[in-house]
Amino acid sequence: MDKAVRLWRWRRNPLRRGSDVAEAWVGLAVGLTMAVGAPLAGLAMAVGAAEGMLDEDDDLRGVTAVVVTGAPVPGIAGPGGKGLAAVRWTDDDGTARVGATHVAFGAEEGSRVTIWLDDQGRIKDAPAGPAEVWAGATLLGATATAGVCVLAAGARLAVRSHLARRRAARWEREWTAVEPLWCDRAA
């Protein structure tokens, strides 16, 4: 396609309408939003989510606990499977505590496991490693990028649809005025 034909909305032209110029500006804004804004939004989302997930686990502390009741063995256990078992540990103040957490299937009574406690002494899931955190954050960032692109494309579609309806209504009004003159039906 010839460059002059592609850029016709930007050149001075007696047939160019105001809606054509508006459509060109909306297309440019959407293009810039998709090319620059969407990746920046995705990057900001990914970094913010990663920092939040890493900070969330800062208050957890690992404690060695003893399995009180062994984890049940399922009929078919996949690698790395875990089951719920009772564990016992000693708090910093020397108080013996008992709780339930997930341990490897088949963990026997008396075996030692690491549990994770929050500031109030409640058992929590093990903190995610940096690779897991960044994988999740990257997924959130990609979702944010895609969301911005979808919203921008939707906005462009809505504007184009509105402009097309306005152009059609204007053409209809003009045709209503001119058609009787062309068909010798002047009033």
Side-chain angles (χ1 to χ4, degrees):
M1 181 182 278
D2 185 21
K3 184 178 178 180
V5 173
R6 283 186 298 205
L7 300 175
W8 71 272
R9 288 183 172 100
W10 296 102
R11 296 180 325 174
R12 296 216 179 269
N13 181 337
L15 299 177
R16 184 183 69 177
R17 302 166 290 198
S19 62
D20 296 329
V21 175
E23 190 173 334
W25 280 107
V26 167
L28 179 65
V30 167
L32 286 173
T33 299
M34 287 181 168
V36 178
L40 287 176
L43 180 64
M45 174 63 87
V47 170
E51 288 176 357
M53 286 188 267
L54 290 171
D55 289 345
E56 185 178 283
D57 294 336
D58 281 348
D59 64 341
L60 296 181
R61 59 187 168 92
V63 175
T64 302
V66 177
V67 176
V68 177
T69 59
V73 178
I76 301 175
K82 293 188 173 194
L84 198 60
V87 293
R88 182 182 65 240
W89 71 97
T90 305
D91 264 346
D92 293 336
D93 63 359
T95 306
R97 306 251 335 246
V98 176
T101 189
H102 290 93
V103 297
F105 280 129
E108 297 177 1
E109 291 181 32
S111 60
R112 296 187 178 278
V113 295
T114 300
I115 61 170
W116 296 90
L117 304 174
D118 64 9
D119 290 339
Q120 287 78 35
R122 294 180 299 224
I123 297 176
K124 296 292 183 179
D125 291 332
E132 292 171 315
V133 166
W134 281 105
T138 301
L139 181 62
L140 285 173
T143 303
T145 300
V148 169
C149 288
V150 166
L151 288 174
R156 180 171 186 254
L157 183 63
V159 168
R160 287 187 70 185
S161 175
H162 174 73
L163 292 173
R165 284 193 306 271
R166 284 186 55 194
R167 285 189 286 249
R170 183 174 178 187
W171 184 87
E172 187 66 35
R173 285 190 310 270
E174 290 174 0
W175 180 251
T176 302
V178 171
E179 189 262 341
L181 299 174
W182 284 8
C183 298
D184 287 332
R185 287 191 293 147

